Amino acid sequence: MEELESKINSCTNLDELELIRVEIFGKKGVLSKEFAKLKDIPAKEKKDFAKSLNDKKVALNEVFEKHKNKLEKIALEAKLESEKIDVSLYGYEANKGALHPVKDMMDRIIDYFVALNFSVESGPLVENDFNNFEALNLPKNHPAREMQDTFFFGDGRMLRTHTSPVQIRTMLDSKPPIRMIAPGAVFRRDYDLTHTPMFHQIEGLVVGEKGEVSFANLKAILTDFLHHMFGDVDVRFRPSFFPFTEPSAEVDISCMFCKGKGCKVCSHTGWLEVLGSGVVDPNVFKAVGYEDVSGYAFGLGIERFAMLLHGVPDLRSLFDGDIRLLEQFR
Ligand code: DAH
């Protein structure tokens, strides 16, 4: 009996204990063998023998259960220890993404005009001749069409060469007054340091009653806009030509790289051209059926703004998808 007890207590893990359980309590175990002796025991001793054997069994069982509990507790503790997680340890920082510099610049420009109550309009990338040229006072065979290096589809349609057709779409769809911008992608057959076949523009258009919207309004809003974007720069309106505006002006800012002294970026002129603008040509209003109205319009290249504000020397690098360039804009 004592031998069996110490056998149980000497087990150091549950697997060992299970072997001992079979050895003592199993069908062919020590106890079964003892009980088997019952049949050979004289009748009058049978009762005492059976009782003492049962007591023995109960006692052994108690020892067994006690030791089993102990080993189970040890096993559980070992498991908890091995699976422990230190929640106070530092983790890995997730990689942060960022907006593409062109998208970011587009958002910044949109925010400026939305704050001034301009609506944001859009149009399709594939345009028809009327919206992209004709209604913008660029009749067929007009030499200014050549300036646009258009991708034609051969069925009269084309990839839009500017966002100006959204002016036409908006005027055809609604009545004056209008106060809109149209951001989006445009396409031209051009590829060098400062040109890519796809780039982005924002078009602006304000239309009111005749005499209500003037060149002075255009000048005021664009001057404020350029100060908002570029800070303390000089702004200059230079007479120019666009078929859809008369008079027309290109807008320059003083070069922020050389402070107007002249450098490579501004081709030693001290000025950077950043916008096209003008008073809407009466022929444009005629094309959309507007009468007794006045308005101004402007257009700008978003990549040009991004290049100047971030000091990007090669426009093409913005579209190479090189992660090393993009990471600099986080
Ligand atoms: N559509 C012109 C371009 O792509 C930009 C532009 C110039 C738009 C003058 C205008 C404007 O609305 O008035 O070069």
Side-chain angles (χ1 to χ4, degrees):
M1 170 77 179
E2 260 169 32
E3 195 199 329
L4 291 175
E5 269 181 35
S6 72
K7 238 182 176 172
I8 291 171
N9 285 328
S10 68
C11 290
T12 56
N13 63 53
L14 290 165
D15 290 339
E16 272 174 45
L17 189 67
E18 174 61 11
L19 293 177
I20 297 299
R21 185 190 66 76
V22 174
E23 191 182 319
I24 298 175
F25 304 99
K27 253 196 235 159
K28 291 176 187 158
V30 182
L31 288 175
S32 298
K33 277 182 193 142
E34 288 293 309
F35 277 108
K37 288 178 189 162
L38 259 180
K39 63 178 190 308
D40 305 325
I41 296 220
K44 66 177 173 55
E45 289 168 34
K46 228 177 209 164
K47 201 177 157 196
D48 285 347
F49 184 86
K51 185 178 180 319
S52 94
L53 205 51
N54 244 334
D55 291 348
K56 202 169 153 188
K57 186 180 170 183
V58 170
L60 273 176
N61 208 33
E62 211 171 279
V63 172
F64 178 85
E65 285 300 326
K66 209 170 141 197
H67 196 58
K68 188 175 161 207
N69 280 342
K70 194 172 140 193
L71 291 180
E72 274 173 353
K73 212 173 143 204
I74 291 170
L76 178 65
E77 268 160 21
K79 190 165 184 240
L80 288 175
E81 183 63 30
S82 73
E83 291 176 359
K84 189 161 80 177
I85 294 170
D86 184 350
V87 292
S88 70
L89 278 179
Y90 287 105
Y92 296 105
E93 209 181 327
N95 267 336
K96 282 195 200 86
L99 288 181
H100 188 279
V102 172
K103 168 72 176 145
D104 177 57
M105 192 56 57
M106 190 188 270
D107 286 351
R108 280 164 65 178
I109 298 171
I110 291 172
D111 283 351
Y112 174 88
F113 287 102
V114 165
L116 292 180
N117 215 18
F118 280 65
S119 67
V120 181
E121 309 293 344
S122 62
L125 305 184
V126 176
E127 265 297 1
N128 58 42
D129 189 272
F130 180 79
N131 290 330
N132 197 78
F133 291 128
E134 193 87 32
L136 288 162
N137 198 27
L138 272 150
K140 294 211 170 54
N141 304 319
H142 192 292
R145 283 196 180 204
E146 297 292 310
M147 286 160 48
Q148 307 244 346
D149 295 313
T150 313
F151 288 108
F152 289 105
F153 285 100
D155 60 357
R157 294 180 310 155
M158 63 214 63
L159 287 173
R160 68 179 183 192
T161 55
H162 47 184
T163 40
S164 304
V166 185
Q167 280 191 20
I168 303 301
R169 287 178 173 274
T170 306
M171 286 193 280
L172 289 173
D173 280 355
S174 50
K175 288 196 169 68
I178 287 175
R179 206 174 166 78
M180 59 148 271
I181 53 167
V186 301
F187 304 84
R188 291 186 197 179
R189 289 190 288 114
D190 221 346
Y191 188 69
D192 60 33
L193 267 186
T194 52
H195 298 89
T196 47
M198 189 275 309
F199 59 105
H200 298 83
Q201 290 187 331
I202 292 192
E203 182 79 13
L205 174 72
V206 174
V207 181
E209 280 172 32
K210 201 178 187 85
E212 198 182 32
V213 181
S214 70
F215 194 88
N217 300 136
L218 163 77
K219 197 172 170 191
I221 201 167
L222 291 184
T223 302
D224 183 68
F225 166 64
L226 292 172
H227 284 150
H228 173 79
M229 296 303 290
F230 293 99
D232 188 17
V233 290
D234 291 334
V235 176
R236 164 175 99 169
F237 285 72
R238 181 166 40 80
S240 184
F241 170 79
F242 296 103
F244 24 90
T245 46
E246 183 59 36
S248 304
E250 277 173 312
V251 190
D252 302 337
I253 54 170
S254 55
C255 179
M256 63 271 222
F257 299 101
C258 60
K259 300 270 176 284
K261 288 194 191 72
C263 67
K264 238 175 89 181
V265 182
C266 60
S267 308
H268 304 283
T269 63
W271 294 96
L272 298 163
E273 184 199 322
V274 289
L275 275 160
S277 67
V279 171
V280 178
D281 193 290
N283 282 342
V284 174
F285 287 138
K286 206 184 282 172
V288 296
Y290 275 21
E291 277 168 14
D292 298 323
V293 291
S294 58
Y296 67 76
F298 55 90
L300 63 90
I302 297 169
E303 281 80 0
R304 176 132 176 92
F305 275 58
M307 286 176 80
L308 292 174
L309 284 166
H310 294 303
V312 178
D314 186 343
L315 169 62
R316 295 169 293 194
S317 65
L318 289 175
F319 301 114
D320 285 343
D322 188 328
I323 198 80
R324 289 170 303 178
L325 178 117
L326 299 175
E327 274 172 344
Q328 296 174 52
F329 295 96
R330 256 193 212 147

